[in-house]
Amino acid sequence: MPKDWFEWHDLYKSEPKLQQRLQIVREYISRSLDASGPGQIRVVSVCAGDGRDLLGTLANHPRAKDVYARLVELNPQLVERGRASIESLGLANQIEFINGDATVFSNYVGAVPADIVIVCGVFGNIANEAELNRLLGNLSFLSKQGAFVIWTRGHSHDIPYSETVRKLLYEAGFEEVDFKLTQTGDMGVGLHRYLGESSVFPKEEQLFVFSGVPNTAR
Ligand SMILES: C[S@@+](CC[C@H](N)C(=O)[O-])C[C@H]1O[C@@H](n2cnc3c(N)ncnc32)[C@H](O)[C@@H]1O
């Protein structure tokens, strides 16, 4: 069992569920970039890990030079690895990796509202449905009207938690563009669009509480 979030990322080497999830997430990021209009494309990634989803996509995407992104992650080793990938892609002038708390709004100021919002590996680390609803409500501060939102939610104990997320997203004013389960059958990956209006400031500085721990979370 991983002792911290840096070690948790080693599971990408061995767990088909995470490998398949990453493949779908990259496909959705690529589709969102394809569908974006000409000019700059703003991207934010919430609890970004080492950024392998976005950075792995940009390595082969024709719109890479149009992307201006901010990735927010608390673990300094993951940020260091992400920054090294950004350097090797030659994207250091466009992509910032912030070593900070992704639950606080101030860490997004200047980077939002975004055209693409990545919230992968987050919804399963939120205490309950009320907290998840709070985060979904607060996505209006991160998202432009029409922004793509890419998310994941693992299942456990045969409970299809991703179905709850789809229902809550619908109720919160998001339109589903696509949804897939991994071949392993226990991880949902969604591509939604935010249809509401973008808000300039949140009511509270804290957008959500991340309460998961690396030895149980997915
Ligand atoms: C399940 S991992 C997902 C990482 C990445 N998004 C992915 O899908 O590979 C959750 C990540 O959230 C990070 N994290 C936890 N609390 C955080 C916080 N308050 N602010 C920023 N990152 C946080 C962890 O360090 C970890 O890298």
Side-chain angles (χ1 to χ4, degrees), residues 5 8-9 12 21 47-49 73-74 78 100-103 120-121 210:
W5 288 112
W8 178 88
H9 280 70
Y12 273 111
R21 178 184 107 155
C47 300
E73 166 59 47
L74 211 48
L78 290 168
D101 189 346
T103 71
C120 294
F210 186 105

Side-chain angles (χ1 to χ4, degrees), residues 9 23 31 35 58 117 121 138 140 153 190 198:
H9 280 70
Q23 200 175 2
R31 277 172 58 182
L58 295 182
V117 178
N138 282 328
S140 62
R153 178 63 166 107
S198 186

Side-chain angles (χ1 to χ4, degrees), residues 74-133:
L74 211 48
N75 181 297
Q77 290 169 285
L78 290 168
V79 173
E80 196 183 320
R81 194 154 75 190
R83 285 180 181 154
S85 305
I86 292 169
E87 282 289 335
S88 67
L89 290 170
L91 297 173
N93 293 333
Q94 303 160 234
I95 306 202
E96 310 172 81
F97 220 126
I98 302 271
N99 188 193
D101 189 346
T103 71
V104 299
F105 180 68
S106 52
N107 280 327
Y108 301 95
V109 171
V112 294
D115 302 283
I116 301 174
V117 178
I118 302 170
V119 267
C120 294
V122 176
F123 294 166
N125 292 301
I126 287 183
N128 53 44
E129 218 170 288
E131 265 300 304
L132 178 55
N133 261 325

Side-chain angles (χ1 to χ4, degrees), residues 3-20:
K3 70 172 185 329
D4 59 24
W5 288 112
F6 186 71
E7 253 187 46
W8 178 88
H9 280 70
D10 285 343
L11 296 173
Y12 273 111
K13 294 179 196 151
S14 56
E15 274 208 14
K17 171 168 66 176
L18 281 182
Q19 293 162 352
Q20 292 162 18

Side-chain angles (χ1 to χ4, degrees), residues 37-53:
Q40 285 190 9
I41 306 169
R42 282 190 179 203
V43 182
V44 290
S45 180
V46 179
C47 300
D50 60 11
R52 67 183 65 201
D53 42 20

